[in-house]
Amino acid sequence: MTSVGVLQIAIFFILILICAKPLGAFMARLFEGERTFLHPVLRWLEVLTYKVSGIREDVEQRWTQYTAALLSFSIFGFLLTYLLQRAQAFLPFNPQHFGADKVPPDLAFNTATSFVTNTNWQAYGGESTLSYFVQMAALTVQNFASAAVGIAIAVALIRGFARQERRTIGNFWVDVTRATVYVLLPISVVAAFLFVSQGVIQNLSSYTDVTTVEGAKQMIAQGPVASQEAIKQLGTNGGGFFNANSSHPFENPTPFSNLLSMFLIFLIPGALTYTLGKMVGDTRQGWAIFGAFSVMFLIGVFVCYASEQAGNPLFAKIGLQTAATAGQPGGNMEGKEVRFGIANSALYATVTTDASCGAVNSMHDSYTPLGGLVPLFNIQTGEVIFGGVGAGLYGILLYCILAVFIAGLMVGRTPEYLGKKIEQKEVKMAMLAVIATAFSILFFTALSSVITFPAKGYWNPPGPAIANMNNSGPHGFSEILYAYTSGTGNNGSAFAGITANTPWYDLTIGLAMWIGRFLFLIPLLAAAGSLAAKKKIAATAGTFPTHGPLFVGLLVGTVLIVGALTFFPALSLGPIVEHYLMHSGKLFSMIVPPVGIWS
Amino acid sequence: MWEQILPGLRIKIFLTIVLGVVYPLAITGISQVVFPKQANGSLVKAGDKVIGSEIIGQNFAKPEYFHPRPSSAGSGYDATASSGSNLGPTSAKLLRGTTKMDEKKNEVVDFDGVALRVVHYCVENEIPYESSAPLDQFKDARGDLDDVKLVKAFNDDKAPLVFKPKAPIPADAVTGSSSGLDPHISPANAEAQTGRIAKVRGIPAAQMKELIAQSTEQPSLGILGEPRVNVLKLNLMLDRRYPVRP
């Protein structure tokens, strides 16, 4: 690791720390229904949205109604995204004339699911598949919508703790509208122009034909990228306009645009911790969660950075410079861009998987085993290290419930969190969410490791599901594990070598996304409803304080232990064994063995 | 229940218009006026012909030019198919390369692999190396290096070819980028290529050093990012200042 590399990580972290309070306080005011400094400029748009959509601003919803509204919003989002893709041939802004043949039903299903669940997993390459209109009207809109949903759920859960003896937890439509109009849209507009100033493209032209200096033909893809890039990062969506995502120079041309991207990813998740503290009337509670986030983030980033900078010993053996020198970055440069080098690639990989973003500026598939383990494990914790917009906060609140429950078991007292008794119902709901996601990851990974299909058939043309891997041995297993982890965790990054665009993978990964999103959300909303109905109890000498280092330690411990116990066996078969094999010089060739339970 | 569900459709349509049409078109309109060059891809023109984009890598193979990094975008620097190799650290394909049969049943290189790239990099740039077998064994009838023979030699499990430069070479020179369109190389990589270019173009070595120093982009604010050299810009500067004599 170089000192400049460490300094860049520090600068990034300090930026997030500085912005947590002002934005967090702003959101607290906003979601408590107070006027903010943006109201004079944007209130008309909020009112117009209510009028057009038939929403009553002053009516609140019980958790079941809130959930129904969430499902309605998501299902219509899904249907529209699906239809726009399938109909792209008949819609405007399609200079490359992409038709429905580019998006068969299984792919359109996968993509629509992906953008409704804030996963933004991409089984397609944007520049060779989708028209500009679909990118804008279907995908950009869902980027906003799924992020707004995340914020809304987090706020509803906060209300569960902040209120007492109430049957309602807010109004879903109002929360979504306010999140979009006052938070996501204004920041996106500013960020989009900053991106364009750096060289991110924003046009509707057809692809440019180029005759290169040496006389070869090159065709350069174009499109309205910056407007999507801004919300892609801010909403922790992560679905790239181009196949190579944020490593593509048109999405992320300079170190500044790279810093801006990472800043946008952590901005809202960091600030929401302060919103929590403010709304429950004790900002120390918010900072404790920010502290737990920070500990886990910094551990991850330095493990990843150290592994990538140490590089691949097999490269060193054939004469590649793996130590950093003044004129070159050293380390493992396969799948990384020169302008980002090792430090910014490792930092980005950690940030994008801590949050449920999934944008990448380097190819995780080519990381060293331990460097790649960090992103994989980050997602498997449930993305509760800052996490997705909203998703990170409601995820960590789930772990808070578990942490105080475990602490309660140790001393034999009924656990409390933020003045609410944590009882059977809350713990059951938290466990349901944890188990559903773990099951989805492990079950689908196991299934795809053994299932076979007739070669050249409909379900999986390559034949056995493992024939879709781009790498063999433990790394190939990691590709499958990462795919279902990413889908279930609604992350969207990938060990992208795997050929995921076949009906089998499109459908199962799509299913994993639905499970990961809604079997996580709905139990939490149920818990929010149950919490809101409870009385607040005063803290006594016997109350376990949840704002000190002891609680931060307990919370981090709970996240790591739950993650480690659930996924350690699977990780041993992938990155951990690969690490030792790499150091013993073992290489793997791509030969698909005859396997399978139904072969 | 319906009053919770119907707004879903109406708000979705409204947001599609505001966020899916008005927002991107407004950003497009303003960007086209304020940042016309960047918004349209930072294109580089020679006369009125577009010869590339400043920030999209393009291939250079001739000896008189600086060469970019290996690319996995399409068949190499295809700017409609951005992609990395996605090969992992224990991939035999990444290290040693693979061959395949083409339509005419000739054996050709399918993926070149890092080992083969090291050989070419050393030979092209006259970097001293050690090899377990003389490279003359791997030449074709015309005396050029035969890549198929080399890849097979690297993959020979019994007695693999062991080839190693005497001093380590910059990693970015022989590894693929993430996008396959990386417009940059490291300054050390540019430095290592200067001998070849100076020879072909007849430029004194001191001037080559100065040229690279001039075209090295330093980290923004001295901290952000890595020092780097834009291959297209550097090659265009070479052509302007030291044209190749026909």
Side-chain angles (χ1 to χ4, degrees), chain B residues 18-39:
Chain B
V18 175
L19 305 171
V21 181
V22 178
Y23 159 72
L25 292 187
I27 302 277
T28 307
I30 299 170
S31 301
Q32 288 293 332
V33 176
V34 184
F35 305 106
K37 184 179 163 216
Q38 291 96 319

Side-chain angles (χ1 to χ4, degrees), chain A residues 8 61 72 127 142 173 202-203 212 214 218 227 243 247 249 319 321 327 334-338 366 470-471 578 588, chain B residues 4-5 12 23 28 38-39 55 57-58 61-62 69 82 85-90 92 169 176 178-179 182 188 225:
Chain A
Q8 293 184 74
Q61 296 167 321
S72 153
E127 67 267 46
Q142 274 311 133
W173 304 115
Q202 179 73 24
N203 63 61
T212 68
E214 285 198 348
Q218 189 183 36
S227 53
N243 187 44
S247 66
Q321 178 63 273
E334 178 66 29
K336 295 190 182 63
E337 303 276 304
V338 168
S366 296
N470 192 38
N471 288 273
E578 192 191 10
F588 293 89
Chain B
Q4 312 301 343
I5 291 172
K12 179 69 206 175
Y23 159 72
T28 307
Q38 291 96 319
I55 56 175
Q58 58 176 255
K62 293 183 182 167
R69 304 179 63 192
S82 58
S85 73
N86 283 312
L87 293 169
T90 52
I169 57 172
S178 174
S179 61
D182 195 341

Side-chain angles (χ1 to χ4, degrees), chain A residues 4 7-8 11 45 48-49 51-55 61 65 68-69 72-73 76-77 80 93 127-128 136-137 140-142 144 173 177 180 185 188-189 192-193 196-197 199-205 207-214 218-222 227 230 242-244 247-250 253 255 259 312 314-321 326-329 331 333-342 344 361-363 365-369 470-471 475 479 496-497 578 582 586-589, chain B residues 1 3-21 23-28 30-32 35 38-43 49-53 55-62 65 69 72 77-96 111 114-115 117-118 155 163-165 167-172 174-189 220 222-229 232 235-236 239:
Chain A
V4 180
L7 188 62
Q8 293 184 74
I11 290 174
L45 185 57
L48 182 66
T49 310
K51 209 174 266 175
V52 173
S53 318
I55 293 164
Q61 296 167 321
Q65 296 168 317
S72 153
F73 190 59
F76 284 119
L80 206 62
F93 303 125
E127 67 267 46
S128 55
M136 296 190 309
T140 303
V141 177
Q142 274 311 133
F144 279 99
W173 304 115
T177 306
T180 307
L185 186 59
S188 292
V189 169
F193 289 124
V196 179
S197 78
V200 178
I201 57 174
Q202 179 73 24
N203 63 61
L204 299 165
S205 322
Y207 295 1
T208 308
D209 270 315
V210 169
T211 306
T212 68
V213 176
E214 285 198 348
Q218 189 183 36
M219 187 182 255
I220 296 181
Q222 301 281 2
S227 53
F242 298 111
N243 187 44
S247 66
H248 194 296
F250 277 171
L259 179 67
N312 184 342
L314 302 170
F315 283 175
K317 225 159 94 187
I318 57 171
L320 271 62
Q321 178 63 273
Q328 58 88 43
M333 279 302 283
E334 178 66 29
K336 295 190 182 63
E337 303 276 304
V338 168
R339 62 194 179 282
F340 306 136
I342 304 294
N344 273 308
N361 78 348
S362 54
M363 288 300 154
D365 211 347
S366 296
Y367 271 40
T368 59
N470 192 38
N471 288 273
H475 199 83
E479 286 183 345
E578 192 191 10
M582 178 179 81
K586 174 96 179 119
L587 291 181
F588 293 89
S589 299
Chain B
M1 200 47 97
E3 76 239 50
Q4 312 301 343
I5 291 172
L6 272 184
L9 180 60
R10 290 162 68 172
I11 196 171
K12 179 69 206 175
I13 291 170
F14 179 71
L15 290 182
T16 300
I17 295 165
V18 175
L19 305 171
V21 181
Y23 159 72
L25 292 187
I27 302 277
T28 307
I30 299 170
S31 301
Q32 288 293 332
F35 305 106
Q38 291 96 319
N40 291 310
S42 309
L43 299 176
K49 280 222 305 251
V50 183
I51 55 167
S53 161
I55 56 175
I56 297 286
Q58 58 176 255
N59 200 25
F60 287 94
K62 293 183 182 167
Y65 288 119
R69 304 179 63 192
S72 291
Y77 287 96
D78 179 345
T80 59
S82 58
S83 179
S85 73
N86 283 312
L87 293 169
T90 52
S91 162
K93 182 176 172 184
L94 175 62
L95 261 100
R96 300 171 181 167
F111 184 85
V114 176
R117 294 170 190 161
V118 172
N155 279 298
F163 181 97
K164 196 178 173 180
I169 57 172
D172 68 291
V174 289
T175 53
S177 64
S178 174
S179 61
L181 301 172
D182 195 341
H184 299 110
I185 55 177
S186 70
N189 181 1
S220 325
I223 304 167
L224 290 180
E226 303 287 327
R228 56 203 183 272
V229 175
L232 175 62
N235 283 335
L236 287 175
D239 271 353

Side-chain angles (χ1 to χ4, degrees), chain A residues 25 161 359 412 435 490 499 551 579:
Chain A
F161 284 105
I435 291 169
N490 295 157
T499 307
F551 178 71
H579 173 74

Side-chain angles (χ1 to χ4, degrees), chain A residues 62 72 88 135 187 267 286 336 420 433 471 476 487 550 555 588:
Chain A
R62 288 200 297 274
S72 153
Q88 64 173 346
Q135 296 261 25
I187 302 178
L267 178 63
K336 295 190 182 63
K420 292 292 175 83
N471 288 273
L550 182 62
L555 182 57
F588 293 89

